[in-house]
Amino acid sequence: MEEVCERNNCWQALKRVQANRGSAGVDGMNIPQFTSYLKQHWPGIRKQLLAGTYQPQPVRRVEIPKPEGGMRKLGIPTVLDRLIQQAVLQVLQRRWDATFSPHSYGFRPKRSAHQAVAQAQQYLGEGYGWVVDLDLEKFFDRVNHDRLMSALGKRISDKKMLRLIGAYLKAGVMENGLVSVSEEGTPQGGPLSPLLSNLVLDELDRELERRGHRFVRYADDCNIYVRSQKAGQRVMRSITGFLERRLKLQVNAGKSAVARPQERKFLGFSFTAGPQIRRCVAKKSIVRFKQRVRELTPRTHGVHRRGLKRLLDYVRGWRGYFGFCETPGTLKELEQWLRRRLRTAFWKQWKHGRKRVSELVKRGVDVRLAKSTVASRRGCWRLSHSRALSLALPTAYFDSLGLKLLVGG
């Protein structure tokens, strides 16, 4: 705890919390307000931490939609509790990270989802052509507190630290003005939760290593690679039993499967079949990309500067992650689709015939071609591929806006 409260460690934690921004917790205090609050109250808070008497506040419950449907429950701690959790995380992560399995990639320094996908690809190349895809049902909500505190007790001798982490686990959740006690789970949303989840699942990693399996785990996404369907079914039964009996976790039978990797997705990616295994963007990831672009380019509002900036930011982020694929043809097709989507949005924005003719002519289209295009009975999407709109809004125009990002980098 003395190391947690050390000045440089707390200063680094504060910088990280400020950089992450985030919303206020149950006390309603935002980050700018918190900075002045901290100057006045930190000595007393530090004294409580060192004495082992600090009591966290409940987290504020928020729900965000999952990409595949349903809602994910997040717990937003107060800014003060985010600061303390971050300070604790920095100390524990420095001590523990080297002890975790090399097959674990999630929420760890110098490790990434791309490394996890590349490792999965390597297993496939070695002939492990079946995957046991495990989905843990509501993992963060179902972590057993007794087992977690027992695992913490084996690594931490400082009673004040154990007491503080235990207090965070049982701080409760405020929803609709009412606080409910937390009997299990580690609320998603706090800096400490990912490290605690890795600690819980480290026991799974060690069991898989003991059995000699080829596997990759990223947080609660775990894929085990085997040579045959029969072996996969045997591993699925055995590991499901281990998770449910030993770790008190529930495997979602509806989302878990033994299948060819080409039929599944892992961290948004999938793999091609054939002798040369390549990384590709999973079909569901493509569907979500198009859905998000549609949301950012509504035909009713047209394309405005603020909306275009949000679109550019999203496309850059998407390209930064999925550019790791080895199928550039997919990116080229999405880039073409994106241009057609924007042409459709511009066409809708121009609204009326006279305005549409004017815009087309202004952009270099012959008057006769412009009028015949406006008079066409074809729908907006079909017209987005017409000669007139391709001339008025060419690829070079979208490149100048910064949209040559999917293929052009």
Side-chain angles (χ1 to χ4, degrees), residues 291-304:
Q291 180 181 338
R292 183 58 181 151
V293 169
R294 289 187 185 102
E295 291 170 358
L296 293 171
T297 57
R299 295 184 183 181
T300 51
H301 300 130
V303 185
H304 300 290

Side-chain angles (χ1 to χ4, degrees), residues 262-378:
Q262 293 78 17
E263 300 168 9
R264 309 293 292 179
K265 70 178 181 68
F266 181 52
L267 303 176
F269 291 90
S270 189
F271 302 95
T272 61
Q276 187 177 357
I277 307 296
R278 292 182 296 163
R279 301 183 295 269
C280 60
V281 184
K283 291 179 180 179
K284 288 185 179 179
S285 300
I286 293 174
V287 170
R288 286 202 292 271
F289 172 82
K290 291 184 176 181
Q291 180 181 338
R292 183 58 181 151
V293 169
R294 289 187 185 102
E295 291 170 358
L296 293 171
T297 57
R299 295 184 183 181
T300 51
H301 300 130
V303 185
H304 300 290
R305 184 175 297 178
R306 182 180 297 178
L308 188 59
K309 183 183 182 305
R310 291 173 64 196
L311 175 65
L312 286 169
D313 290 343
Y314 172 71
V315 173
R316 284 193 189 99
W318 196 92
R319 172 66 169 83
Y321 184 74
F322 287 103
F324 188 61
C325 77
E326 296 173 314
T327 50
T330 300
L331 301 182
K332 187 174 182 180
E333 287 175 11
L334 285 176
E335 193 175 76
Q336 292 169 348
W337 177 88
L338 178 59
R339 286 197 295 268
R340 287 192 67 181
R341 176 70 192 180
L342 286 169
R343 288 186 186 119
T344 302
F346 274 109
W347 190 248
K348 277 285 189 179
Q349 184 176 324
W350 295 338
K351 291 184 179 179
H352 306 296
R354 188 173 297 176
K355 173 71 172 175
R356 286 172 173 173
V357 170
S358 171
E359 288 289 343
L360 290 174
V361 171
K362 185 171 68 176
R363 295 165 186 268
V365 179
D366 178 78
V367 176
R368 290 176 61 186
L369 177 59
K371 288 182 177 180
S372 65
T373 303
V374 171
S376 172
R377 294 184 178 182
R378 289 185 293 172

Side-chain angles (χ1 to χ4, degrees), residues 16 86 88-98 100 106-109 194-195 198:
R16 177 59 64 87
Q86 180 65 35
V88 171
L89 169 68
Q90 290 167 181
V91 170
L92 297 185
Q93 197 160 53
R94 283 195 296 266
R95 292 169 177 259
W96 294 356
D97 191 69
F100 288 148
F107 307 119
R108 297 181 61 189
L195 179 66
N198 271 335

Side-chain angles (χ1 to χ4, degrees), residues 120-171:
Q121 182 182 14
Q122 183 176 327
Y123 289 142
L124 298 180
E126 292 170 358
Y128 294 87
W130 289 83
V131 62
V132 180
D133 188 355
L134 290 168
D135 183 274
L136 298 177
E137 190 168 7
K138 298 181 179 178
F139 167 72
F140 286 92
D141 297 331
R142 291 186 172 173
V143 170
N144 184 276
H145 285 180
D146 291 337
R147 288 199 58 81
L148 176 54
M149 291 306 298
S150 175
L152 287 165
K154 294 174 182 177
R155 291 173 176 257
I156 299 174
S157 58
D158 188 337
K159 301 299 182 185
K160 296 187 291 294
M161 177 71 84
L162 289 171
R163 196 176 301 126
L164 177 64
I165 296 175
Y168 273 119
L169 292 175
K170 298 184 181 298

Side-chain angles (χ1 to χ4, degrees), residues 238-279:
S238 176
I239 295 302
T240 297
F242 173 83
L243 285 165
E244 294 179 350
R245 289 192 304 270
R246 186 77 172 268
L247 300 187
K248 311 299 181 187
L249 296 172
Q250 187 72 35
V251 174
N252 187 329
K255 292 185 178 179
S256 300
V258 176
R260 291 290 191 182
Q262 293 78 17
E263 300 168 9
R264 309 293 292 179
K265 70 178 181 68
F266 181 52
L267 303 176
F269 291 90
S270 189
F271 302 95
T272 61
Q276 187 177 357
I277 307 296
R278 292 182 296 163
R279 301 183 295 269

Side-chain angles (χ1 to χ4, degrees), residues 380-397:
C380 295
W381 180 250
R382 289 186 65 192
L383 283 174
S384 69
H385 203 48
S386 66
R387 183 164 175 264
L389 278 171
S390 296
L391 288 170
L393 300 168
T395 299
Y397 172 72

Side-chain angles (χ1 to χ4, degrees), residues 191-235:
L192 198 53
S193 184
L195 179 66
L196 297 180
S197 70
N198 271 335
L199 179 60
V200 170
L201 291 174
D202 187 59
E203 193 169 348
L204 170 63
D205 297 341
R206 299 308 173 188
E207 179 65 17
L208 292 172
E209 287 173 352
R210 187 184 68 78
R211 299 184 185 192
H213 288 307
R214 275 77 176 169
F215 72 97
V216 180
R217 184 177 66 78
Y218 190 96
D220 57 336
D221 285 332
C222 184
N223 279 5
I224 307 167
Y225 295 89
V226 295
R227 291 188 182 275
S228 69
Q229 185 178 21
K230 188 175 180 180
Q233 290 168 345
R234 184 173 63 250
V235 170

